[in-house]
Amino acid sequence: MSTGRNALWLTGCRLTGDVLNLLLFVLISRTFGPAGAGEYSYGFAVATFAFVIGCLGIEEYGLRQYSRMDEDARPGFLGELLGTQVLMVGLAVLTLVVYIAVTAPTPATLLMVCVLGAYQITASIVATLFIPAMAAQRMLWPALAELGARSIAFAIAGYAISVAHASLAHALLGYPVAAAVWLTIALTALRRFAPHVKVRISAGGARRIAGIIWSFALLEVFAQLFSRIGVISLSLGVGDAAAGIFATGLRLIEVALMPLSFLGVASYPRLSRLFSTDLQAFRRSAVDLAWLMMLGGGLAAWGLYFVAPPLLVPILGERFAGAEPWIQSMVVFALVQAVEVCLGRIMLCADRQISNAAFVAVGAVLSLLLNIWWVPRFGVSGAIYAGAAAYFVIDVLCVASLRRAMTLAALLRVIGSLIVTVAAAAAAGALAARWDISAAVQAVAALAVFAGAGALAHRFRHSAGGAALAAPGGLP
């Protein structure tokens, strides 16, 4: 199955699932208000750390290595990988128990964290079980399985809230049911694509894998800290309503950038092989992928600024009135995150997971410090500024690290094209606003200029980029 078709399946199913999640988020927001949205986001933020500990980069490392291996070596490798993950899942459960004991949540919050934690831990196991299918470019199975699990969770929660008028915590009891179905499908796929795999738990195997995946693990930990610290800071320091508004913006960005993320996932096995076998082909493919993903990031930013704000109150309810300026201010956040999604994936393909983990760690620590400093002063705006600044630092570090793997000239040309394209679209929108033209016309004008500038930038890139991609020199 082609990379494009895999990306289409992954993106289509994930976006459909995200639409269901978004509808659930809308239902929770309309029923329980910003405070309910904040409680739900907090529960998922805590549960996600259990997911991180349960996988700790195993999927990223496992898929890359499994794709490069001979058929005979694959069953033993995957068996050791699964055995190591069993130990990691035990650690995840223990960590969740300790966190609950320390924070002493209310009974409702405890129930939410537990049911969402069970779902997230299952998700970490399922990702590893699907590695053989992903490596075989049969990504339809994982895509449909995740969509099925999300559909079950959404159906049960939606019925509980809208029909049974259940509390928020009780409405989420469908998540463990969805997790059980998801796990069953993943085990079926494992038997089909890797029938001879047996789980092998050994201290030696665990130490060996841990010695390799620690950089992937750090990347997962700090990436999740990065994405959740704003919600947690606002929830603890300002209130659930502020956390709900910020979480809404994050959810919109997540949905908008999802096609880019899965385009990177679909390209991951092929780019990983090219990096070890054909550097010039890797450079060409990586630059084309980077431009496509960054252009998609610009389009996501356009939607966040022009399309999302007018829909907040009609969709989420009157209690979200006044949140529009905060959502629009997250445009820069979306742009710098899109660049990080793109360059981070290429870093993994180019065996720079250690550098990538270090860069994300720097960004996470910076985001934490800035949130502590700015959230008490600026509230939601402080969380937005902190996240955007930290992502910008990561982007700069990634460009420096990939300067030889992709060539610095090619990287700067792609990023420069994005800046020019976005700036032209922003100028067109600002000019239309200055003339008191309607918001709809402003959006259309900005989109038209964005498309035209993007086409010109694409032509310039191809006419001037051949020499840069063929630049001599080995890898550091």
Side-chain angles (χ1 to χ4, degrees):
M1 189 178 288
S2 68
T3 297
R5 189 177 301 175
N6 280 322
L8 183 62
W9 275 116
L10 290 169
T11 302
C13 289
R14 184 58 181 270
L15 279 178
T16 304
D18 278 339
V19 168
L20 295 179
N21 278 2
L22 188 60
L23 290 175
L24 178 58
F25 190 82
V26 169
L27 181 60
I28 291 172
S29 299
R30 293 185 70 89
T31 305
F32 303 104
E39 291 173 1
Y40 173 70
S41 299
Y42 174 78
F44 243 122
V46 174
T48 298
F49 283 111
F51 164 81
V52 171
I53 298 171
C55 65
L56 286 178
I58 275 187
E59 179 194 10
E60 299 288 358
Y61 164 73
L63 180 56
R64 191 186 73 183
Q65 298 305 112
Y66 194 91
S67 299
R68 296 174 177 176
M69 282 183 173
D70 296 331
E71 290 289 338
D72 294 339
R74 287 178 168 180
F77 168 75
L78 189 58
E80 278 197 344
L81 206 64
L82 287 168
T84 302
Q85 189 168 33
V86 169
L87 302 176
M88 292 161 56
V89 166
L91 178 61
V93 173
L94 178 60
T95 303
L96 195 59
V97 170
V98 171
Y99 180 86
I100 290 171
V102 170
T103 57
T106 64
T109 301
L110 173 62
L111 181 59
M112 282 193 289
V113 169
C114 288
V115 297
L116 294 175
Y119 181 84
Q120 292 290 68
I121 289 173
T122 302
S124 69
I125 300 171
V126 163
T128 306
L129 295 175
F130 274 127
I131 283 177
M134 297 285 286
Q137 297 289 311
R138 296 295 186 268
M139 299 182 185
L140 176 60
W141 278 70
L144 289 178
E146 182 175 1
L147 176 58
R150 288 184 169 204
S151 299
I152 292 171
F154 168 78
I156 295 176
Y159 174 85
I161 294 173
S162 59
V163 178
H165 304 293
S167 67
L168 177 58
H170 289 117
L172 301 181
L173 290 174
Y175 275 87
V177 177
V181 174
W182 199 2
L183 182 61
T184 301
I185 297 174
L187 289 170
T188 302
L190 180 67
R191 287 194 294 268
R192 174 179 177 181
F193 292 99
H196 304 298
V197 171
K198 295 182 179 180
V199 178
R200 296 168 54 189
I201 302 177
S202 67
R207 283 195 300 268
R208 183 168 54 256
I209 292 175
I212 299 172
I213 69 168
W214 66 269
S215 57
F216 290 90
L218 284 179
L219 179 60
E220 286 285 349
V221 170
F222 283 111
Q224 292 300 331
L225 174 64
F226 202 146
S227 62
R228 310 295 175 181
I229 191 60
V231 173
I232 294 174
S233 297
L234 288 168
S235 181
L236 297 177
V238 179
D240 287 333
I245 291 171
F246 181 69
T248 300
L250 288 183
R251 180 59 60 88
L252 292 171
I253 292 175
E254 180 184 354
V255 172
L257 297 185
M258 195 58 62
L260 314 185
S261 178
F262 279 108
L263 181 59
V265 171
S267 304
Y268 187 40
R270 178 174 176 271
L271 279 180
S272 296
R273 286 192 295 268
L274 285 178
F275 181 76
S276 62
T277 59
D278 190 341
L279 179 59
Q280 299 306 323
F282 168 81
R283 285 174 171 171
R284 289 191 297 270
S285 297
V287 169
D288 286 342
L289 177 66
W291 172 241
L292 187 59
M293 291 179 72
M294 290 186 190
L295 197 66
L299 186 61
W302 171 86
L304 193 67
Y305 190 88
F306 288 106
V307 179
L311 299 178
L312 285 179
V313 171
I315 294 178
L316 299 182
E318 292 293 335
R319 283 175 283 190
F320 280 82
E324 295 87 352
W326 281 313
I327 300 300
Q328 288 182 318
S329 67
M330 295 185 77
V331 165
V332 176
F333 194 117
L335 283 172
V336 292
Q337 186 175 349
V339 175
E340 188 276 333
V341 168
C342 167
L343 298 183
R345 177 60 59 180
I346 296 174
M347 291 273 288
L348 294 181
C349 296
D351 291 346
R352 279 161 170 75
Q353 65 272 4
I354 295 178
S355 297
N356 197 19
F359 300 161
V360 175
V362 169
V365 172
L366 178 61
S367 178
L368 176 61
L369 295 176
L370 292 177
N371 270 281
I372 293 173
W373 184 19
W374 287 343
V375 164
R377 297 185 178 187
F378 307 112
V380 176
S381 296
I384 295 170
Y385 300 152
Y391 269 119
F392 177 77
V393 170
I394 295 177
D395 294 342
V396 172
L397 293 173
C398 286
V399 168
S401 179
L402 291 170
R403 67 188 183 280
R404 295 186 68 186
M406 290 179 65
T407 76
L408 182 60
L411 271 170
L412 293 179
R413 189 174 290 111
V414 170
I415 295 175
S417 297
L418 175 67
I419 293 173
V420 171
T421 302
V422 171
L431 185 61
R434 189 172 181 178
W435 289 346
D436 292 328
I437 297 176
S438 68
V441 175
Q442 293 176 35
V444 171
L447 182 60
V449 172
F450 179 81
L456 291 176
H458 178 72
R459 179 176 299 181
F460 168 75
R461 252 191 349 97
H462 277 277
S463 63
L469 290 178
L475 293 174

